[in-house]
Amino acid sequence: MLADAHEAEDVVQEAAVTAYLDLERLEQPERFGAWLCGIAVNLAKMRLRQRRTHVSLDDSGGRAIPASAWLDEREPSPEERLEAAEQLSLVHEAISLLPDHQRRLVLLSYLDGLSPREIGALLGRSAGSVRVALHRARTQLREQLSPLAPRPARKELHMIEMTVADVVVRLLPEEEPKLADGHRIVLLRERGGERVLPIWIGAAEGDSLAFQLASEATPRPLTADLTARLLEAAGGRIERVLVSSLVENTFYAVVTVSNGGGASDVDARPSDALNLAVRVGAPIFVDDGVLEESALEARDLYGGLDRVRVKLGEPPLEGEWRTLSPELVRNVGSFGSWRPK
């Protein structure tokens, strides 16, 4: 394979050392001879790849073409060389943080160009187990090297900043508090303006938001509390919450999270995103197109809510619109039946 006796001798010695160091990986001792030969063959292939030549039968009549002939003739600028060196340093650091067995597989696969089957023969493992280990290593490297990945340009959005003004419910005219239905409506008010965006949300999310607006803690920590604490522990930060679109009467939101190495947009339900925003003090925005389509005027807010219900095909309700206070939640809300144990 190598056509060089001295280089072949080096490969045989390296194969013997590799086999000795990895002997515990040999699951079938009776196959030691074939296993050792497989190691030697793969090391020889690695040597051949390291000679770095390319052969093009069409362009060169079979002549060997040095790898340097394929490189860009333009000399890189000092800035480009510095950037490349910094990126290479980050890659080396990310690989060095891998567990020993994963780091070896990554180097054999991407530096030496071996297939999972060849790596398995070299290390005495099945090709399937090599693929699984390489997948795990790639996942870890992808997370660590995400700042190097090119990011698509973000679509320019026309966003209007909003505040969570209130959570309201329809209360029936009875002696004991009773809700006309199970919905809660969160009202987002345009900062410095008169437009109000109503969003129908679930009972649990609405009750939790009502406690937050009243600066009271819920009887027990909820998912939004856990998410906020996990983000803080991981060094992340909520940059903003955006109600981004309205499709078939359903609102969609995006939470922008930063962690020091860049920002990521995470899709979310508005009810979850707003609960998270009020807990961490993140700004809240609504896409201007969504606001134009669905906003109500503050001076006719409750009449507008009734008209929206009819538009959505909901039957008219008796009673009056009321702010959902923590006291009202305790009487009729999702926390009403909670008792300490």
Side-chain angles (χ1 to χ4, degrees):
M1 291 176 67
L2 297 172
D4 186 310
H6 295 292
E7 194 169 13
E9 189 175 68
D10 290 341
V11 166
V12 171
Q13 292 180 4
E14 187 176 353
V17 172
T18 300
Y20 175 75
L21 294 176
D22 290 336
L23 192 58
E24 62 183 15
R25 297 180 181 274
L26 179 62
E27 297 177 354
Q28 299 176 346
E30 66 275 9
R31 297 189 66 251
F32 174 79
W35 180 61
L36 178 60
C37 289
I39 293 175
V41 168
N42 283 298
L43 289 173
K45 290 181 179 179
M46 290 162 56
R47 292 290 183 107
L48 291 173
R49 292 188 181 97
Q50 289 169 1
R51 291 177 180 176
R52 298 180 182 275
T53 59
H54 299 273
V55 175
S56 172
L57 296 178
D58 294 332
D59 298 337
S60 65
R63 293 180 291 107
I65 302 176
S68 58
W70 299 96
L71 300 179
D72 189 354
E73 296 179 357
R74 182 181 63 84
E75 186 71 18
S77 67
E79 292 79 10
E80 291 173 331
R81 285 198 295 268
L82 178 61
E83 181 180 1
E86 291 176 347
Q87 290 187 355
L88 184 60
S89 176
L90 289 173
V91 172
H92 284 166
E93 181 180 357
I95 293 176
S96 70
L97 295 175
L98 292 173
D100 290 343
H101 67 284
Q102 287 187 357
R103 181 168 61 251
R104 185 170 191 184
L105 294 180
V106 166
L107 294 176
L108 288 173
S109 177
Y110 295 104
L111 183 62
D112 298 320
L114 298 184
S115 68
R117 183 179 59 80
E118 292 171 331
I119 295 174
L122 178 65
L123 301 180
R125 300 174 58 176
S126 68
S129 68
V130 171
R131 292 189 185 94
V132 171
L134 278 172
H135 173 74
R136 292 172 179 168
R138 285 195 298 268
T139 300
Q140 183 171 335
L141 288 174
R142 187 178 296 113
E143 294 175 356
Q144 295 174 355
L145 298 174
S146 59
L148 298 181
R151 298 185 179 276
R154 292 186 181 182
K155 176 185 175 182
E156 184 178 355
L157 296 172
H158 298 285
M159 302 181 298
I160 308 299
E161 187 169 4
M162 312 289 285
T163 60
V164 180
D166 204 355
V167 178
V168 298
V169 292
R170 191 81 169 189
L171 204 61
L172 292 175
E174 300 181 5
E175 292 185 6
E176 293 294 329
K178 185 176 180 180
L179 300 182
D181 67 3
H183 293 110
R184 278 57 165 162
I185 304 174
V186 56
L187 304 176
L188 300 181
R189 182 158 184 160
E190 183 179 12
R191 187 178 291 276
E194 293 298 321
R195 291 182 295 179
V196 178
L197 179 68
I199 300 179
W200 269 252
I201 63 176
E205 295 83 1
D207 295 350
S208 173
L209 202 52
F211 269 80
Q212 290 296 316
L213 294 179
S215 300
E216 290 192 28
T218 53
R220 53 188 172 184
L222 302 177
T223 303
D225 301 296
L226 174 63
T227 304
R229 292 170 187 172
L230 288 174
L231 275 171
E232 181 181 2
R237 183 172 64 89
I238 303 297
E239 288 190 358
R240 74 183 184 204
V241 163
L242 169 66
V243 179
S244 56
S245 60
L246 175 63
V247 181
E248 296 181 354
N249 297 320
T250 300
F251 289 98
Y252 293 84
V254 174
V255 179
T256 301
V257 184
S258 65
N259 60 1
S264 300
D265 290 336
V266 181
D267 294 330
R269 299 186 306 171
S271 55
D272 295 327
L274 294 173
N275 264 288
L276 187 56
V278 297
R279 282 164 168 79
V280 302
I284 299 169
F285 297 89
V286 174
D287 180 76
D288 189 44
V290 173
L291 203 58
E292 287 289 339
E293 181 180 353
S294 303
L296 303 175
E297 293 293 332
R299 61 178 178 270
D300 186 31
L301 175 60
Y302 295 124
L305 290 178
D306 290 330
R307 289 191 293 273
V308 170
R309 283 188 57 87
V310 174
K311 180 181 177 181
L312 295 176
E314 298 285 343
L317 293 177
E318 297 181 3
E320 62 177 350
W321 294 104
R322 290 275 299 275
T323 292
L324 184 63
S325 65
E327 181 181 1
L328 187 55
V329 170
R330 293 185 186 97
N331 290 328
V332 299
S334 57
F335 302 128
S337 61
W338 182 86
R339 295 289 185 272
K341 295 182 179 180

